[in-house]
Amino acid sequence: AQKVTQAQTEISVVEKEDVTLDCVYETRDTTYYLFWYKQPPSGELVFLIRRNSFDEQNEISGRYSWNFQKSTSSFNFTITASQVVDSAVYFCAFNTNTGNQFYFGTGTSLTVIP
Amino acid sequence: GAVVSQHPSRVICKSGTSVKIECRSLDFQATTMFWYRQFPKQSLMLMATSNEGSKATYEQGVEKDKFLINHASLTLSTLTVTSAHPEDSSFYICSARDGAYSGNTIYFGEGSWLTVV
């Protein structure tokens, strides 16, 4: 069965702090894709990153970085020097090479306090 | 980049009426589109998968007679909530797969807020 777990329901940090959002997935497929999306209050899903299962290289994009560890089936997301505009719900998602369906985690609501 | 557009972004309808939500791929052909539903402070749950020219595949527990999905062209899928009730109030979001690309390139629409009063 495919499953994505985001154990952190809500996180609050003070502006400029670093914060890591956890994501753990379950699958028996060897080829799959992992995603992170940001969902602001307006509702739209903002694509942040896609990583395939064969690429375990960590990625950094500005203040965002992702740590993909197949050994622990984790794909964690770190925001460095958080800003108020980072406040949103963040979803980790997964889909397989054979299917098109996205499996979403339950989301982590991040609040950055000024 | 590829864009998926949903319309309307917000709609209020009376209980008992039907409401249609459109999902369009603006610059690519979408052989497959997906409809998700999101309740407040919850995750997105897949409702159905629609393939152009064929019947939609509904997830377990989703009433196909209540949530009518039509994918009549490669750029348009519609979700019609029939005989809407207040409990149908939710955020509906579609996604579309670019049929010209063999990878998992899937784009999400902006979502539609439905309020049934």
Side-chain angles (χ1 to χ4, degrees), chain A residues 10 33 35 37 39 41-45 50 89 91 95-107, chain B residues 10 32 34 36 38 41-44 46 59 91 93 95 97 101-106 108-111 113:
Chain A
E10 296 181 356
Y33 298 83
F35 302 78
Y37 286 88
Q39 187 179 44
S42 52
E44 78 274 19
L45 287 176
R50 180 182 88 162
V89 179
F91 287 98
N95 77 354
T96 67
N97 195 42
T98 54
N100 297 297
Q101 178 183 351
F102 269 69
Y103 298 88
F104 284 91
T106 47
Chain B
R10 290 182 182 274
T32 306
F34 306 87
Y36 293 82
Q38 185 182 28
K41 296 190 177 182
Q42 293 191 26
S43 189
L44 290 84
L46 180 69
E59 294 298 302
F91 184 64
I93 192 166
S95 67
R97 181 174 182 273
Y101 182 58
S102 60
N104 271 18
T105 304
I106 298 177
F108 283 89
E110 316 98 317
W113 294 95

Side-chain angles (χ1 to χ4, degrees), chain B residues 4-89:
Chain B
V4 173
S5 178
Q6 278 185 243
H7 177 81
S9 56
R10 290 182 182 274
V11 58
I12 301 173
C13 71
K14 290 185 178 179
S15 189
T17 63
S18 295
V19 61
K20 181 186 289 186
I21 300 170
E22 295 184 345
C23 178
R24 292 181 185 273
S25 57
L26 298 185
D27 55 2
F28 67 97
Q29 293 185 328
T31 53
T32 306
M33 288 186 170
F34 306 87
W35 287 95
Y36 293 82
R37 181 176 184 177
Q38 185 182 28
F39 289 105
K41 296 190 177 182
Q42 293 191 26
S43 189
L44 290 84
M45 300 302 295
L46 180 69
M47 297 175 66
T49 301
S50 75
N51 296 297
E52 186 266 337
S54 63
K55 290 184 179 180
T57 303
Y58 289 81
E59 294 298 302
Q60 194 172 9
V62 178
E63 299 176 61
K64 59 182 179 182
D65 294 330
K66 181 167 186 62
F67 298 99
L68 300 178
I69 291 172
N70 184 284
H71 193 159
S73 79
L74 284 170
T75 60
L76 174 65
S77 175
T78 59
L79 167 67
T80 301
V81 182
T82 62
S83 187
H85 290 285
E87 56 264 31
D88 298 325
S89 299

Side-chain angles (χ1 to χ4, degrees), chain A residues 55-72:
Chain A
D55 182 4
E56 280 194 79
Q57 249 187 335
N58 291 331
E59 181 158 338
I60 298 174
S61 175
R63 295 185 298 108
Y64 296 167
S65 63
W66 292 269
N67 184 319
F68 177 28
Q69 303 250 347
K70 283 183 79 170
S71 59
T72 55

Side-chain angles (χ1 to χ4, degrees), chain A residues 8-27:
Chain A
Q8 304 149 307
T9 306
E10 296 181 356
I11 300 177
S12 290
V13 298
V14 177
E15 200 172 20
K16 297 184 182 177
E17 286 184 349
D18 299 346
V19 58
T20 296
L21 310 182
D22 299 332
C23 174
V24 174
Y25 61 94
E26 293 177 31
T27 183

